[in-house]
Amino acid sequence: VLSDEEKRKQYDAYGEEGLKDGHQSSHGDIFSHFFGDFGFMFGGNPRQQDRNIPRGSDIIVDLEVTLEEVYSGNFVEVVRNKPVARQAPGKRKCNCRQEMRTTQLGPGRFQMTQEVVCDECPNVKLVNEERTLEVEIEPGVRDGMEYPFIGEGEPHVDGEPGDLRFRIKVLKHPVFERRGDDLYTNVTISLVEALTGFEMDIAHLDGHKVHVARDKITKPGAKLWKKGEGLPNFDNNNIKGSLIITFDVEFPKEQLTNDQREGGCLKAPSRQRGCTDLSPE
């Protein structure tokens, strides 16, 4: 080596490794010689860098749930037609990437070029397969929350599949309105009930009855809070919100007659003739 001028220069610059297997020097080799594996910081060989594994696209699907399911919880089965990679005859180019090639043109002169480099992998084809996924609707789940299924998204033949995320969309309820963990509803009572009091049961989301009783005057728009009758808190199901009931008063559709006024319909409607239209029934 010492008798060959070119080899001696190469040995002095790059050491014994520079002489093996027809090794061609490069900027990456220079920095690697002095700084070890930190050559990538200065444009070293990309093969020494961490490669990002390609990944398929994520899929977001709106999952409609009822307010009853939010209250009690449920398990929902979803059928998913998913493309799955299966082996096929032949070979294909894979893991294609851009790599920098450095060529020495002479002492102290280098040329850097970018090339597309691919590996050779077994050929694959995408085949649709039907899968059943079970989504647990937890009590108190909030609108817009997502349930992820790792690896159930779009496939990537050269990498990992994406994820599938079910986004909760709570449907509008005909009786109750959700606001956080509280439930709101409107109840219509008659004019007599508004003046004399009333007693009633309201059917809740899971079927149990909420008893409501008043023995005083109820003004239109009055609200009644029933603590613990709202939705369960998502983070702690032992805590529940409130049920807020707003009362609407239904007034008689026609003007009262003189007999109805003089007969005291509003004082004791059930005992007077002609007071049927004012009674709670």
Side-chain angles (χ1 to χ4, degrees):
V1 170
L2 297 179
S3 63
D4 188 305
E5 185 177 352
E6 288 297 324
K7 288 185 178 180
R8 181 171 180 172
K9 290 181 180 179
Q10 195 165 339
Y11 178 84
D12 291 338
Y14 312 116
E16 187 178 353
E17 291 294 325
L19 302 173
K20 292 182 179 180
D21 301 326
H23 179 80
Q24 295 294 324
S25 60
S26 68
H27 288 305
D29 297 326
I30 295 172
F31 288 114
S32 178
H33 180 71
F34 289 103
F35 302 104
D37 291 336
F38 292 97
F40 69 89
M41 295 177 63
F42 304 91
N45 193 328
R47 286 177 293 183
Q48 297 176 351
Q49 303 178 24
D50 291 333
R51 298 174 184 168
N52 291 326
I53 300 175
R55 191 169 178 272
S57 301
D58 291 343
I59 299 176
I60 300 178
V61 178
D62 286 338
L63 183 61
E64 295 181 341
V65 298
T66 64
L67 202 56
E68 286 83 357
E69 290 174 319
V70 175
Y71 184 80
S72 302
N74 195 17
F75 287 90
V76 178
E77 288 189 350
V78 180
V79 177
R80 158 95 164 116
N81 286 317
K82 177 185 176 182
V84 180
R86 292 288 179 256
Q87 190 168 349
K91 298 287 185 178
R92 65 183 177 88
K93 291 184 177 180
C94 62
N95 299 326
C96 295
R97 60 215 176 259
Q98 296 284 343
E99 288 193 357
M100 297 299 299
R101 296 291 188 186
T102 305
T103 306
Q104 185 176 13
L105 302 179
R109 295 181 60 198
F110 302 91
Q111 181 181 26
M112 301 183 69
T113 57
Q114 194 173 42
E115 296 180 3
V116 178
V117 180
C118 298
D119 298 333
E120 192 175 73
C121 298
N123 199 16
V124 295
K125 62 179 180 179
L126 296 178
V127 179
N128 276 338
E129 288 188 359
E130 188 176 282
R131 298 188 181 185
T132 300
L133 304 176
E134 189 174 67
V135 185
E136 180 184 3
I137 308 301
E138 300 174 84
V141 64
R142 303 184 185 97
D143 196 65
M145 292 186 69
E146 294 183 352
Y147 286 87
F149 283 76
I150 307 300
E152 290 293 339
E154 289 296 329
H156 196 295
V157 293
D158 291 328
E160 299 176 347
D163 299 333
L164 171 64
R165 300 200 298 271
F166 289 102
R167 183 166 51 198
I168 297 299
K169 183 178 181 181
V170 182
L171 297 174
K172 187 177 180 179
H173 196 272
V175 176
F176 298 99
E177 178 186 353
R178 178 186 191 175
R179 300 180 192 173
D181 292 337
D182 294 332
L183 289 174
Y184 286 74
T185 188
N186 284 57
V187 173
T188 300
I189 58 176
S190 68
L191 179 58
V192 174
E193 289 174 317
L195 295 174
T196 63
F198 58 88
E199 224 178 309
M200 66 173 62
D201 289 327
I202 299 175
H204 211 294
L205 291 168
D206 63 345
H208 80 270
K209 304 295 183 181
V210 179
H211 188 69
V212 179
R214 282 180 65 85
D215 58 358
K216 58 183 72 174
I217 293 177
T218 304
K219 297 180 179 180
K223 289 180 171 57
L224 177 67
W225 267 257
K226 300 290 287 187
K227 292 185 178 180
E229 289 291 354
L231 294 173
N233 182 270
F234 179 77
D235 300 314
N236 186 354
N237 291 164
N238 294 322
I239 301 175
K240 290 187 176 182
S242 300
L243 172 63
I244 295 93
I245 305 168
T246 301
F247 294 102
D248 299 321
V249 179
E250 184 178 13
F251 285 81
K253 297 179 180 179
E254 298 179 359
Q255 194 74 16
L256 295 181
T257 64
N258 291 332
D259 292 340
Q260 289 173 332
R261 294 173 182 175
E262 294 174 0
C265 288
L266 297 181
K267 295 180 180 179
S270 61
R271 302 176 188 174
Q272 301 292 330
R273 296 179 62 185
C275 295
T276 307
D277 58 335
L278 300 178
S279 64
E281 299 297 330

